[in-house]
Amino acid sequence: MNRTPIVDLNDGQSFEQAFQAADKQLRVNRQGGKYILMKLSDQSGTIAGMMWNADEKMFESFDRSDYVFCKGRTQIHNGNLQVIVTSIERMDPSEIELSEFERFDAAAADQLETRLRELLGGLRNIHLRALGETYLGDEDLLGRLKSAAAAVSNHHAYPGGLLRHTIDLMEMCQAIGPRYPQMDTELLMFGAFLHDLGKIEELSSGGEISYTDRGQMLGHIVIGIQMLDEKIRSLQTDSNDRFPDELKLHLEHLVVSHHGQLEYGSPKLPVTLEAVALHHIDNLDAKITAYTSVIESDVAADGNWTNYNPSIGRKLWKNRD
């Protein structure tokens, strides 16, 4: 079955093809009419969809994560491409080509795992290296890290995105740290490894990426601190050696302060050089990745500029010729 990937859809284009229903909501408009607001996805990305004049029967005819055959047309709304669905029907998974919908790249994840092992295994600090081995020895944790997303939206919001973000930060720390001899580069790198690790428990990537109950109640910073305490306890039990209290304290501070500001979710402001550096390196990677996504998904007619994006308060230059 020939289909157009979401990333290649254009304004005003009719379609009759399969998607995966990433999310759905039954809503009521101002006139009392019901409609379905949905997110449709494939391997190339996600697009918002609307189905007008819907009812409960239509809404219940498919579930989140189901494959659905849709008819409709694309249109631009508030500067973004969306689809108006006129017909939707649940499909059996045997009717679709799974490779067109699987967003997790197992080969890339394996390469990133190899790089993670190189970075953690190459640490000269024996305590950090041993702690890294404790994390790497947890096969369940590592498997979930390889397939986890780094966010629900904005940046690295896809299966495998968390590990990509983690490796990028660790390599940036490895490159930047030596320029500032007052900083402990290996501590900074390990903080980059730990900073978002709690997201493997905070977010669920089954179907639409969403927050778990634990994620809603605690958040990834608290979860990350709990995981760190658990791994240090496990290391101490296995080695019969006490992990240095001061080193643990600095690792904890890197996790709790990496958002940089109290209003952005950090329980504490960064007060060490490593924590200040980690916050800015993390923010840089997140912003560049998010802005790149805005440019790549923009459908503005002006070839040089994106549409105005209210979430970032500006247009972005996108001409790469």
Side-chain angles (χ1 to χ4, degrees), residues 33-320:
K34 295 179 181 179
Y35 65 96
I36 301 175
L37 174 64
M38 64 189 86
K39 288 185 179 180
L40 302 174
S41 66
D42 65 13
Q43 192 275 334
S44 70
T46 302
I47 193 168
M50 305 282 289
M51 186 173 188
W52 303 110
N53 302 316
D55 54 26
E56 286 84 354
K57 182 178 179 180
M58 179 59 67
F59 181 75
E60 297 296 339
S61 68
F62 66 97
D63 294 319
R64 293 176 179 85
S65 299
D66 278 350
Y67 299 102
V68 289
F69 187 80
C70 299
K71 297 181 182 179
R73 190 174 183 83
T74 62
Q75 69 172 33
I76 293 178
H77 177 68
N78 289 337
N80 295 311
L81 193 68
Q82 67 174 15
V83 296
I84 302 301
V85 178
T86 56
S87 172
I88 187 168
E89 182 179 351
R90 183 182 180 277
M91 301 176 68
D92 189 274
S94 63
E95 300 178 82
I96 61 97
E97 183 63 45
L98 286 174
S99 63
E100 295 181 341
F101 297 91
E102 180 56 72
R103 300 191 71 192
F104 175 60
D105 188 334
D110 287 342
Q111 292 178 349
L112 290 172
E113 178 191 350
T114 298
R115 182 58 178 149
L116 179 64
R117 292 184 180 277
E118 291 174 351
L119 290 167
L120 292 177
L123 297 175
R124 292 170 294 178
N125 183 306
I126 59 173
H127 302 293
L128 292 178
R129 189 169 67 248
L131 183 57
E133 290 171 355
T134 302
Y135 276 98
L136 293 173
D138 187 336
E139 294 184 3
D140 177 67
L141 181 148
L142 190 60
R144 296 172 68 191
L145 172 60
K146 290 170 65 176
S147 62
V152 172
S153 59
N154 295 327
H155 75 94
H156 300 92
Y158 58 88
L162 178 57
L163 185 54
R164 173 77 273 170
H165 176 54
T166 299
I167 295 298
D168 286 346
L169 254 64
M170 292 181 72
E171 291 183 337
M172 292 167 72
C173 292
Q174 187 181 46
I176 293 171
R179 299 186 65 88
Y180 303 94
Q182 305 93 332
M183 281 200 309
D184 184 332
T185 298
E186 292 195 344
L187 176 63
L188 177 61
M189 289 174 61
F190 210 94
F193 168 64
L194 295 177
H195 84 291
D196 273 350
L197 205 54
K199 288 186 176 180
I200 66 173
E201 293 282 350
E202 182 185 40
L203 301 178
S204 171
S205 56
E208 174 73 354
I209 299 169
S210 59
Y211 287 94
T212 64
D213 291 342
R214 189 180 181 196
Q216 290 276 21
M217 292 184 178
L218 300 181
H220 69 277
I221 289 178
V222 172
I223 295 171
I225 291 295
Q226 292 175 336
M227 294 169 64
L228 175 60
D229 184 68
E230 175 189 327
K231 292 306 177 192
I232 289 178
R233 288 177 182 272
S234 176
L235 173 60
Q236 291 180 149
T237 299
D238 292 342
S239 66
N240 291 319
D241 289 329
R242 184 170 182 81
F243 192 85
D245 290 338
E246 184 174 342
L247 182 56
K248 178 184 178 183
L249 182 63
H250 279 274
L251 291 174
E252 290 172 333
H253 180 66
L254 285 164
V255 176
V256 302
S257 66
H258 75 268
H259 283 182
Q261 298 291 335
L262 302 180
E263 59 267 34
Y264 296 156
S266 276
K268 298 295 291 185
L269 296 175
V271 298
T272 66
L273 293 178
E274 292 82 10
V276 171
L278 178 61
H279 161 61
H280 287 288
I281 294 169
D282 179 33
N283 191 47
L284 173 64
D285 188 56
K287 286 291 192 295
I288 294 297
T289 303
Y291 285 20
T292 299
S293 179
V294 169
I295 292 170
E296 291 177 345
S297 63
D298 183 74
V299 292
D302 187 337
N304 289 334
W305 295 94
T306 67
N307 284 290
Y308 177 84
N309 189 302
S311 67
I312 61 175
R314 75 201 75 175
K315 296 181 177 183
L316 292 174
W317 175 263
K318 65 178 184 178
N319 189 343
R320 289 292 176 265

Side-chain angles (χ1 to χ4, degrees), residues 15-36:
F15 59 83
E16 296 184 12
Q17 65 179 49
F19 297 94
Q20 187 171 24
D23 194 18
K24 64 170 187 171
Q25 300 175 35
L26 185 62
R27 294 189 173 186
V28 180
N29 62 26
R30 295 177 180 176
Q31 291 72 41
K34 295 179 181 179
Y35 65 96
I36 301 175

